[in-house]
Coordinates of all heavy atoms in Angstrom, one line a residue:
M37 N 8.1 -13.9 35.4 CA 6.9 -14.2 34.7 C 6.0 -13.0 34.5 O 5.7 -12.3 35.4 CB 6.1 -15.3 35.4 CG 4.9 -15.8 34.6 SD 5.3 -16.6 33.0 CE 6.0 -18.1 33.5
R59 N 12.8 -28.5 33.1 CA 14.2 -28.8 33.2 C 14.9 -29.2 31.9 O 16.0 -28.8 31.6 CB 14.5 -29.9 34.2 CG 14.0 -29.6 35.7 CD 14.5 -30.6 36.6 NE 13.9 -30.5 37.9 CZ 12.8 -31.2 38.4 NH1 12.3 -32.1 37.6 NH2 12.3 -31.0 39.6
R60 N 14.1 -29.9 31.1 CA 14.6 -30.3 29.8 C 14.9 -29.1 28.9 O 15.9 -29.1 28.1 CB 13.6 -31.2 29.1 CG 13.9 -31.8 27.7 CD 14.9 -32.9 27.8 NE 16.3 -32.5 27.6 CZ 17.3 -33.3 27.6 NH1 17.1 -34.6 27.9 NH2 18.5 -32.9 27.4
R70 N 27.1 -25.5 24.6 CA 28.5 -26.0 24.8 C 29.0 -26.8 23.5 O 30.2 -26.7 23.2 CB 28.5 -27.0 26.0 CG 29.8 -27.5 26.4 CD 30.8 -26.4 26.8 NE 32.1 -26.9 27.0 CZ 33.1 -27.0 26.0 NH1 32.7 -26.7 24.8 NH2 34.3 -27.4 26.3
L86 N 34.4 -25.1 8.0 CA 33.5 -24.0 8.3 C 32.7 -24.3 9.6 O 32.4 -25.5 9.8 CB 32.6 -23.7 7.2 CG 31.7 -22.5 7.2 CD1 32.5 -21.2 7.0 CD2 30.6 -22.6 6.2
A104 N 6.8 -29.0 18.6 CA 6.4 -29.9 17.5 C 6.2 -31.3 18.0 O 6.8 -31.8 19.0 CB 7.5 -29.8 16.4
R123 N 15.3 -33.2 18.0 CA 14.6 -34.2 17.2 C 15.4 -35.6 17.1 O 15.0 -36.5 16.4 CB 14.5 -33.7 15.7 CG 13.6 -32.5 15.6 CD 12.2 -32.7 16.1 NE 11.3 -33.4 15.1 CZ 10.0 -33.5 15.3 NH1 9.4 -33.0 16.4 NH2 9.3 -34.1 14.4
S147 N 15.1 -39.6 12.2 CA 15.4 -38.4 13.1 C 14.1 -37.6 13.2 O 14.1 -36.4 13.2 CB 16.5 -37.5 12.5 OG 17.7 -38.3 12.3
A172 N -1.8 -31.9 2.9 CA -3.2 -31.5 2.7 C -3.9 -32.3 1.7 O -5.1 -32.7 1.9 CB -3.2 -30.0 2.3
L173 N -3.3 -32.6 0.6 CA -3.9 -33.4 -0.5 C -4.1 -34.8 -0.1 O -5.1 -35.4 -0.6 CB -3.0 -33.3 -1.8 CG -2.9 -31.9 -2.4 CD1 -1.8 -31.9 -3.5 CD2 -4.2 -31.5 -3.0
D194 N 16.2 -13.8 8.9 CA 15.7 -12.5 8.3 C 16.2 -12.2 6.9 O 15.5 -11.7 6.1 CB 16.0 -11.3 9.2 CG 17.5 -11.3 9.7 OD1 17.8 -12.2 10.6 OD2 18.3 -10.5 9.3
L202 N 11.1 -17.5 -0.6 CA 10.2 -17.4 0.5 C 8.9 -16.8 0.1 O 7.8 -17.3 0.5 CB 10.9 -16.6 1.7 CG 9.9 -16.3 2.8 CD1 9.4 -17.6 3.5 CD2 10.6 -15.4 3.8
P215 N -1.0 -26.9 6.0 CA -0.8 -27.0 7.4 C 0.6 -26.8 7.8 O 1.4 -27.8 8.0 CB -1.3 -28.4 7.7 CG -0.9 -29.2 6.4 CD -1.1 -28.2 5.3
G247 N -2.1 -12.9 3.3 CA -3.3 -13.5 3.9 C -3.0 -14.5 5.0 O -3.8 -15.4 5.2
D254 N 9.1 -12.9 21.6 CA 10.5 -12.7 22.1 C 11.2 -14.0 22.0 O 11.0 -15.0 22.7 CB 10.4 -12.3 23.6 CG 11.7 -12.0 24.2 OD1 12.8 -12.4 23.6 OD2 11.8 -11.4 25.3
D257 N 13.0 -15.9 24.9 CA 12.2 -16.4 25.9 C 11.7 -17.8 25.5 O 10.8 -18.0 24.7 CB 11.0 -15.5 26.1 CG 9.9 -15.9 27.1 OD1 10.1 -17.0 27.7 OD2 9.0 -15.2 27.4
A263 N 5.2 -21.8 23.7 CA 3.7 -21.7 23.7 C 3.2 -21.1 22.4 O 2.2 -21.6 21.9 CB 3.4 -20.7 24.9
G289 N 27.3 -14.7 17.9 CA 28.6 -15.0 17.3 C 28.6 -14.4 15.9 O 27.8 -13.6 15.5
G328 N 17.6 -26.0 42.6 CA 18.8 -25.7 43.3 C 20.1 -25.9 42.5 O 20.1 -26.3 41.3
R349 N 35.0 -38.0 18.9 CA 34.4 -38.6 17.7 C 34.7 -37.8 16.4 O 34.8 -38.4 15.3 CB 32.9 -38.8 17.9 CG 32.6 -39.9 18.9 CD 31.1 -40.3 18.8 NE 30.2 -39.3 19.1 CZ 29.0 -39.2 18.6 NH1 28.6 -40.0 17.7 NH2 28.2 -38.2 19.0
T350 N 35.0 -36.5 16.6 CA 35.4 -35.8 15.4 C 36.8 -36.2 14.9 O 37.0 -36.4 13.7 CB 35.4 -34.3 15.7 OG1 34.1 -33.8 16.1 CG2 36.0 -33.5 14.5
E352 N 37.9 -39.1 15.1 CA 37.8 -40.4 14.5 C 37.2 -40.4 13.1 O 37.2 -41.4 12.4 CB 36.9 -41.3 15.4 CG 37.5 -41.6 16.7 CD 36.6 -42.3 17.7 OE1 35.4 -42.5 17.3 OE2 37.0 -42.6 18.8
L380 N 42.0 -35.7 -11.2 CA 42.4 -35.3 -9.8 C 43.3 -36.4 -9.2 O 44.3 -36.0 -8.5 CB 41.1 -35.1 -8.9 CG 41.4 -34.7 -7.5 CD1 42.1 -33.4 -7.4 CD2 40.1 -34.6 -6.7
G388 N 53.6 -36.4 -5.3 CA 54.5 -37.3 -4.5 C 53.9 -37.7 -3.2 O 52.9 -37.1 -2.8
S389 N 54.5 -38.6 -2.6 CA 53.9 -39.2 -1.3 C 54.0 -38.2 -0.2 O 53.3 -38.4 0.8 CB 54.7 -40.5 -1.0 OG 56.1 -40.2 -0.8

Side-chain angles (χ1 to χ4, degrees):
M37 183 63 74
R59 294 187 192 101
R60 181 77 259 179
R70 185 63 187 85
L86 185 75
R123 297 301 277 191
S147 304
L173 293 170
D194 46 287
L202 172 61
D254 183 343
D257 176 357
R349 291 197 291 149
T350 297
E352 294 171 358
L380 181 59
S389 59

